[in-house]
Amino acid sequence: MQITASALSLNVDDVMASAMFVKQHFGFHEEMSAEGFISLSRPDAGFNLIFLQTRLASFKPIHMRGHRADGLLIVFVVDDIDQEYMRIQTEGVPITTAIETEPWGERFFQVTDPNGVVIQLVQWVTENTGEPK
């Protein structure tokens, strides 16, 4: 098998609200859209981010049509977590989880889009010094 592209597809109530959120705050741009569907990308993400309208008739599997994107995180690894934290705050985005550093070196914070999709930004740091790895 050879994988030629990757995508993360999330079922949300308001497709445009999620799309506008990631376009405005995370630099994604629209690649294609149709009623109840939008595919977004950015060159350095490594995947397309797709939002599908809940209860969309064409959504497969059928038993998932009414389900939302609960219980998952979209995670972006960044070079300067503190700079991104300040940028997001300056843009007025409510912080879901304030910036913190885990003992294993994961420094992160989380925001939540209008549909409840949690986006986590991460920088891996040296455990002892807190400096980037």
Side-chain angles (χ1 to χ4, degrees), residues 31-85:
E31 288 218 342
M32 67 179 91
S33 64
E35 185 175 340
F37 160 86
I38 190 164
S39 178
L40 305 159
S41 69
R42 57 176 284 157
D44 58 351
F47 65 93
N48 279 34
L49 183 55
I50 298 170
F51 294 108
L52 295 173
Q53 177 90 39
T54 51
R55 295 175 180 72
L56 193 63
S58 61
F59 186 79
K60 307 291 188 273
I62 292 170
H63 73 276
M64 294 291 293
R65 279 190 188 154
H67 293 266
R68 294 191 346 232
D70 294 330
L72 67 98
L73 304 172
I74 298 173
V75 179
F76 299 119
V77 177
V78 298
D79 290 333
D80 189 337
I81 193 74
D82 295 300
Q83 179 181 356
E84 293 300 324
Y85 190 66

Side-chain angles (χ1 to χ4, degrees), residues 88-100:
I88 288 292
Q89 287 180 311
T90 300
E91 292 177 3
V93 178
I95 303 297
T96 303
T97 303
I99 198 164
E100 59 183 76

